[in-house]
Amino acid sequence: MSKTILVVDDDPHIGDVIGFALEKAGMQVHYAHDGQQALQKFQHTSPDLIVLDINMPEMDGLEVCREIRKTSNLPIVFLSSRDDEIDRILGLELGGDDYVTKPFSPRELVARINAILKRTQLKNLDSMTPSDALSIGKLNIFPSQHRANWGNNDITLTATEFAILLLLAQRPVQVFSRDHIMQKAYDSNVYVSDRTIDSHIRHIRQKFTDIGCESIIETVHGVGYKLASCK
């Protein structure tokens, strides 16, 4: 089934370039040119993913993301003309799934979008079996439902955060390097920086801390990350 993408950018030319690449890849595209219009289109078009420019007048992309995250865990890919680390970290910590700096390769952007959509593709819940659930201590993960909880508390995770947590939980005693996490959480033809992985890890930790889990992911200095004891 064709996926629907909402492209939000105040530069019509950039929007057209992105739209052309997405349509060529078999996706349906809707456009918005400012933050308010983005929120309206989000409500009325029910997109599968949003490509969201950060630097827009009046309501910027970060504020749009904050509003969307109040009601939805829809995947968001940020676009920015700036490669400032603070923008990248803030965007990811607000709940963005990826961050692409302008100028960018339309082919790479489509690859990143496909990678995220692949991770968010849910199985038919009717086919879910008990073995589908993964439980370690108080941590419970349900891959078919794209759902995780700690005790009785559900955790809202983005697609990338969920993919990282599931990877660590599938081999709870293994230490994963950042490179390994990149390869598993993203398609092999998509490059992300170490700082991007660190930001996702930090965001996962904060979400679990907020519901009383003091440690969900351990840092093994000089090596990478592993799942904590989950007691």
Side-chain angles (χ1 to χ4, degrees):
M1 183 178 295
S2 176
K3 297 297 183 180
T4 300
I5 311 298
L6 174 59
V7 176
V8 185
D9 199 301
D10 61 339
D11 186 332
H13 173 69
I14 292 178
D16 289 343
V17 169
I18 296 171
F20 178 80
L22 292 172
E23 289 173 351
K24 189 175 180 180
M27 303 181 197
Q28 298 180 356
V29 182
H30 295 279
Y31 300 91
H33 302 297
D34 59 52
Q36 291 292 348
Q37 191 177 41
L39 294 177
Q40 294 172 2
K41 290 289 184 73
F42 161 69
Q43 294 290 339
H44 296 139
T45 64
S46 299
D48 296 291
L49 181 145
I50 298 178
V51 178
L52 181 58
D53 184 32
I54 288 181
N55 305 308
M56 295 185 296
E58 297 184 17
M59 177 182 284
D60 66 17
L62 297 176
E63 184 60 32
V64 173
C65 180
R66 287 190 187 96
E67 291 299 315
I68 290 174
R69 284 290 175 259
K70 291 178 180 179
T71 60
S72 173
N73 202 35
L74 181 77
I76 294 175
V77 176
F78 281 115
L79 293 179
S80 178
S81 58
R82 301 191 305 180
D83 195 23
D84 293 346
E85 182 179 0
I86 187 64
D87 280 356
R88 184 183 299 272
I89 292 174
L90 183 56
L92 294 174
E93 292 191 343
L94 283 175
D97 290 87
D98 208 344
Y99 186 105
V100 177
T101 304
K102 301 175 184 177
F104 56 87
S105 161
R107 178 179 294 183
E108 180 184 356
L109 178 60
V110 171
R112 288 175 180 265
I113 289 171
N114 277 326
I116 293 170
L117 291 174
K118 185 184 298 183
R119 295 196 299 271
T120 56
Q121 185 69 46
L122 300 180
K123 301 176 184 177
N124 187 335
L125 296 183
D126 292 336
S127 66
M128 191 177 81
T129 63
S131 61
D132 181 71
L134 180 63
S135 297
I136 303 172
K138 293 183 179 181
L139 175 65
N140 302 291
I141 301 178
F142 307 91
S144 293
Q145 302 176 58
H146 198 272
R147 183 168 66 89
N149 66 42
W150 176 266
N152 296 321
N153 298 291
D154 284 337
I155 308 293
T156 301
L157 300 169
T158 67
T160 304
E161 292 164 2
F162 186 86
I164 292 172
L165 180 64
L166 180 60
L167 172 66
L168 300 182
Q170 286 172 332
R171 297 182 181 179
V173 299
Q174 180 174 336
V175 180
F176 290 88
S177 68
R178 290 178 178 84
D179 286 342
H180 195 165
I181 294 173
M182 289 179 202
Q183 292 170 7
K184 295 297 184 180
Y186 290 82
D187 276 2
S188 58
N189 60 341
V190 174
Y191 171 78
V192 295
S193 69
D194 289 355
R195 291 190 181 94
T196 298
I197 296 299
D198 292 343
S199 294
H200 286 308
I201 296 291
R202 185 164 55 252
H203 205 198
I204 295 169
R205 285 171 168 163
Q206 186 59 56
K207 289 182 177 182
F208 277 85
T209 299
D210 289 345
I211 53 89
C213 172
E214 295 183 359
S215 178
I216 187 64
I217 297 175
E218 294 181 8
T219 299
V220 180
H221 295 288
V223 183
Y225 298 103
K226 68 182 295 291
L227 194 74
S229 61
C230 300
K231 294 179 179 180

